[in-house]
Amino acid sequence: MKVMVSVKRVVDYNVRIQVKGDGSGVNLDGVKMSMNPFDEIAMEQAVQMKDAGTAEEVIAVTIGPAKAEEQLRSALAFGADRAIHVKTDEEIQPLTAARILAKLFEKEQPKVLLTGKQAIDDDANQTGQMTAALLDLPQATFASAIEFDGDKAKVTREVDSGLETIEVDLPAVITTDLRLNEPRYLKLPDIMKAKKKPIDAMSVEDLGIEEAVKLNVTKTAPPPEREPGVMVEDVNELVSKMKDKGLV
Amino acid sequence: MTLNPQRVSPYYTEDHEAFRDQVRRFVARELAPNIDEWDEAGEVPWSFHKAAADAGLLQLGYPESLGGVEAPDSFYNIILNDELAQTGSGGIMPAVWVHGIACPPIVAFGSQAQQAKYVTPVLAGEKMAALAITEPSGGSDVAAIKTTARDAGDHYLVNGSKTFISGGMRASAFTTAVRTGGDGPGGVSMLIIDADLPGVSRTPLKKMGWWCSDTATLYFDNVKVPKSNLLGQENRGFAVIMHNFNSERLSMCAQAYGLARCCIDQAAAYARDRHTFGQPLAGHQVIRHKLVDMQMRNQSVKAWLDEIAWRIDHGETPVADLSMLKVLATQTLEFCANEAMQIFGGAAYMRGNKVERIYRETKVMTIGGGSAEILKDLAARQLGF
């Protein structure tokens, strides 16, 4: 089958995020960017399917600035056959992303769209669900195990109460959770080979998409600083301190 | 952690940065959580060799035909050494990548049969190979080695001993310097000696640092080594040994740079978090200046290291520069480890702190792979001083 994977360029998870002084957002100047870790898990799932012969073709898709080509190259180094880059310098909100992905889905007709359950920059956790809704396709979110069987997929989902297994008809949208797999290391020869694989670039306008601006970020603030701890001599002191703070 | 976002460099491309990302991931996932335990246990499990091979890192810089991952230039090796050093363990290199000194002579001078037998399984993470040159009677004076290999028809009869051999306890074969001819460099040959041959025995040595890597004294007592295990030509071993030193030194320089960088990062993070006299340590000028003194020295090392790597990739063999850089890089490491210790105070005197280990392991860096004294002399002669 044909598999489409959508990946997003986000601030690297190792970076200590700094909120801008005026609260208008976070500082991105000179900050290291990487592929969203949940999307890496989606990529790993796709290439495992290719290794197992379940998938014939893997297409990686990203929406983002020119520099997002780096993340597509990573996806190609993972083992994607080709990539599509929808270029934009605007910040894309989940509904716009979903419209773009739905359009590309209609164009490419894959059997499954895999994407991370959320991106670690805004943690919206909406794009996969909205894409499925726009396409009127089944969705299976937070996947921790996926089994393909003909025109169906059995997906184990990580839900609040534990694990839930559902069956969806294909084509479908599946979003990937942390425990689905451990993404592989990209070997140097694969990094080099990725440079020769084709990337099809286009703009949001080329796709005839109307940008949805539904969300307005009013303020960004860092989490409150943690207060330093205190050393206590014994249990009695611990209990009395906790009482003082109204914790017991 | 020092990240290098969108750096503009004459040497490093996006490919290098993509590779660095992968090495960093590998280190974070496979090495960092385990290295303290392995260091205390005195051993790295074989599963790590396999993991490094699966990630394409164990075999970096070797021909594809032998199971290697070819590197287009020296900077990939610099990145590997630099990133592995960020765990604060110098010992991981001799523990796992010690074939970096044992195998290149076989790749450069060995027969196809020798390469298939002694290089390929090592690159797959299944076996280890060690380089055996230093003897109890001397190290730096390579031309004076005393271990003999007597021509006995279809084999050599080897007698003698080697010491301070990194990986010697776990290696299944040794790339060994032996005397087949008369005195001096013209009588030295290189032999590959299997560790399981009758007459080979070995004992482990306890060390100041590099605990996760074993070090051995080897004894050869009438060991029959097949003639097919001669590496290159008889009595031409000295050139084989010398060929090896340059790549070993470049790797050691990169490792020294990486360990010094680790000291700086650790000390800087601590100086920001630790409060004394009502402000962070880094608020005191004396501490900030220490950090700058460390950084400016190590950045100079890196600039020279990259330049030398570029020259090597363009066909030069800058022996004097490499020798001097090895001295400078390792002395810079000593300086940075020392200053980082001072910034940490008692916290880095405790085991489990990266700086504690690096400080303990500086001496092996200034002595191993050519001592500062020997290398300065070599540089002086090269420069005609």
Side-chain angles (χ1 to χ4, degrees):
Chain A
M1 68 176 82
K2 199 187 217 184
V3 178
M4 185 184 270
V5 185
S6 127
V7 302
K8 186 176 183 184
R9 176 182 172 87
V10 298
V11 174
D12 188 271
Y13 73 95
N14 285 307
V15 172
R16 211 186 279 189
I17 299 285
Q18 306 257 324
V19 174
K20 282 185 190 167
D22 62 0
S24 65
V26 299
N27 195 359
L28 296 179
D29 292 342
V31 166
K32 183 174 169 55
M33 306 292 280
S34 297
M35 187 190 294
N36 174 34
F38 291 110
D39 297 341
E40 285 187 336
I41 293 169
M43 268 315 307
E44 176 64 32
Q45 167 68 28
V47 290
Q48 279 182 14
M49 289 165 68
K50 222 182 133 188
D51 291 346
T54 323
E56 285 91 47
E57 189 182 26
V58 175
I59 309 162
V61 178
T62 198
I63 308 163
K67 280 265 178 194
E69 187 182 322
E70 289 168 14
Q71 282 62 50
L72 282 183
R73 292 288 169 206
S74 291
L76 293 167
F78 259 104
D81 298 283
R82 61 189 171 91
I84 300 173
H85 187 175
V86 181
K87 285 190 180 172
T88 175
D89 289 326
E90 300 302 312
E91 198 197 315
I92 294 291
Q93 296 188 355
L95 182 56
T96 314
R99 283 179 183 165
I100 293 169
L101 292 177
K103 192 81 171 188
L104 293 172
F105 193 100
E106 280 168 353
K107 210 167 127 188
E108 295 286 348
Q109 296 290 320
K111 262 278 178 347
V112 62
L113 169 66
L114 292 168
T115 189
K117 66 168 180 176
Q118 66 199 61
I120 62 167
D121 50 4
D122 56 13
D123 281 328
N125 181 7
Q126 296 174 8
T127 305
Q129 293 89 327
M130 286 179 171
T131 310
L134 290 174
L135 289 164
D136 200 20
L137 288 180
Q139 56 175 284
T141 51
F142 318 131
S144 64
I146 308 173
E147 240 178 87
F148 288 94
D149 184 16
D151 268 346
K152 291 182 190 310
K154 207 201 273 179
V155 179
T156 305
R157 307 178 59 227
E158 298 207 350
V159 292
D160 288 347
S161 53
L163 297 177
E164 176 191 69
T165 303
I166 61 168
E167 197 177 77
V168 288
D169 292 329
L170 299 180
V173 176
I174 301 176
T175 73
T176 52
D177 212 326
L178 194 63
R179 276 159 286 272
L180 178 60
N181 60 47
E182 209 169 70
R184 66 193 59 194
Y185 303 110
L186 309 180
K187 289 188 191 180
L188 183 55
D190 295 325
I191 293 172
M192 316 264 291
K193 265 183 241 160
K195 294 187 79 173
K196 298 197 179 85
K197 293 184 181 176
I199 296 180
D200 192 5
M202 60 195 69
S203 67
V204 180
E205 296 75 45
D206 288 342
L207 290 167
I209 304 283
E210 193 192 329
E211 211 171 306
V213 185
K214 302 274 185 195
L215 303 172
N216 184 20
V217 176
T218 53
K219 193 180 164 213
T220 306
E225 267 195 54
R226 252 184 71 188
E227 279 179 43
V230 287
M231 298 299 285
V232 292
E233 287 293 323
D234 50 29
V235 176
N236 288 338
E237 196 189 338
L238 175 68
V239 173
S240 89
K241 290 252 184 216
M242 288 172 79
K243 274 184 178 157
D244 290 347
K245 289 195 172 277
L247 294 172
V248 285
Chain B
M1 184 192 288
T2 317
L3 296 167
N4 306 294
Q6 286 99 48
R7 181 170 55 167
V8 180
S9 157
Y11 310 115
Y12 293 90
T13 64
E14 278 173 13
D15 285 356
H16 292 107
E17 295 309 325
F19 176 72
R20 182 186 292 278
D21 278 352
Q22 295 306 312
V23 181
R24 213 170 251 167
R25 274 178 66 197
F26 176 82
V27 167
R29 208 196 279 170
E30 314 286 344
L31 188 57
N34 303 313
I35 186 62
D36 283 353
E37 199 184 308
W38 294 345
D39 216 46
E40 295 289 336
E43 195 172 56
V44 175
W46 281 103
S47 58
F48 180 80
H49 294 247
K50 199 84 195 70
D54 287 345
L57 300 178
L58 192 69
Q59 64 276 52
L60 183 75
Y62 292 84
E64 225 174 286
S65 57
L66 300 177
V69 165
E70 290 179 23
D73 57 49
S74 298
F75 296 101
Y76 291 96
N77 184 42
I78 291 178
I79 290 168
L80 179 64
N81 275 280
D82 177 17
E83 290 299 331
L84 285 169
Q86 299 317 306
T87 56
S89 165
I92 195 65
M93 293 314 292
V96 180
W97 275 267
V98 70
H99 57 276
I101 51 176
C103 286
I106 308 177
V107 174
F109 299 93
S111 65
Q112 271 190 356
Q114 288 171 344
Q115 291 171 350
K117 184 173 175 193
Y118 294 108
V119 178
T120 304
V122 170
L123 298 184
E126 291 156 4
K127 286 182 175 178
M128 277 179 69
L131 180 71
I133 294 180
T134 297
E135 300 189 345
S137 59
S140 302
D141 190 3
V142 178
I145 56 153
K146 293 194 167 79
T147 296
T148 55
R150 195 164 53 81
D151 192 330
D154 64 338
H155 63 266
Y156 290 104
L157 201 61
V158 178
N159 278 289
S161 80
K162 299 285 175 182
T163 195
F164 310 151
I165 305 307
S166 290
M169 292 308 294
R170 299 223 294 171
S172 53
F174 315 111
T175 308
T176 316
V178 293
R179 186 162 299 286
T180 45
D183 291 344
V188 175
S189 298
M190 292 300 278
L191 267 185
I192 308 170
I193 303 180
D194 283 287
D196 60 359
L197 287 178
V200 177
S201 57
R202 41 189 168 181
T203 51
L205 299 169
K206 285 194 166 184
K207 303 185 295 298
M208 185 175 180
W210 280 14
W211 294 341
C212 67
S213 159
D214 72 72
T215 303
T217 297
L218 313 176
Y219 305 93
F220 303 112
D221 182 15
N222 284 321
V223 182
K224 287 183 183 177
V225 179
K227 281 221 161 147
S228 58
N229 275 31
L230 177 71
L231 197 51
Q233 288 172 283
E234 202 170 86
N235 296 331
R236 296 280 180 83
F238 200 71
V240 177
I241 297 168
M242 292 300 133
H243 169 268
N244 217 23
F245 279 149
N246 288 330
S247 66
E248 179 186 8
R249 279 170 199 155
L250 190 76
S251 294
M252 284 192 81
C253 291
Q255 194 191 5
Y257 161 77
L259 291 166
R261 180 162 82 86
C262 180
C263 287
I264 298 168
D265 284 356
Q266 293 290 309
Y270 188 75
R272 276 192 290 268
D273 286 352
R274 169 88 170 167
H275 282 67
T276 62
F277 305 105
Q279 59 174 330
L281 268 186
H284 303 290
Q285 193 181 50
V286 67
I287 300 295
R288 286 206 307 277
H289 282 198
K290 273 188 195 298
L291 291 166
V292 169
D293 280 337
M294 293 155 82
Q295 180 76 359
M296 72 188 193
R297 282 170 171 78
N298 208 37
Q299 290 297 87
S300 308
V301 165
K302 186 66 186 349
W304 199 6
L305 171 64
D306 286 344
E307 194 242 5
I308 290 175
W310 185 88
R311 284 162 62 191
I312 291 172
D313 288 346
H314 286 75
E316 225 186 299
T317 311
V319 175
D321 282 64
L322 254 179
S323 305
M324 290 187 287
L325 178 65
K326 161 74 168 50
V327 178
L328 183 71
T330 54
Q331 287 180 348
T332 299
L333 170 60
E334 280 188 306
F335 176 83
C336 292
N338 189 61
E339 292 298 86
M341 284 288 305
Q342 291 302 122
I343 292 173
F344 268 96
Y349 198 67
M350 301 300 128
R351 282 254 278 280
N353 185 301
K354 288 181 184 178
V355 173
E356 181 270 339
R357 181 164 50 204
I358 294 174
Y359 185 81
R360 222 171 356 93
E361 295 181 341
T362 52
K363 276 297 148 198
V364 70
M365 298 297 286
T366 58
I367 295 168
S371 71
E373 292 73 13
I374 288 285
L375 289 179
K376 280 188 185 174
D377 206 52
L378 173 60
R381 275 182 279 125
Q382 291 276 329
L383 295 167
F385 290 165

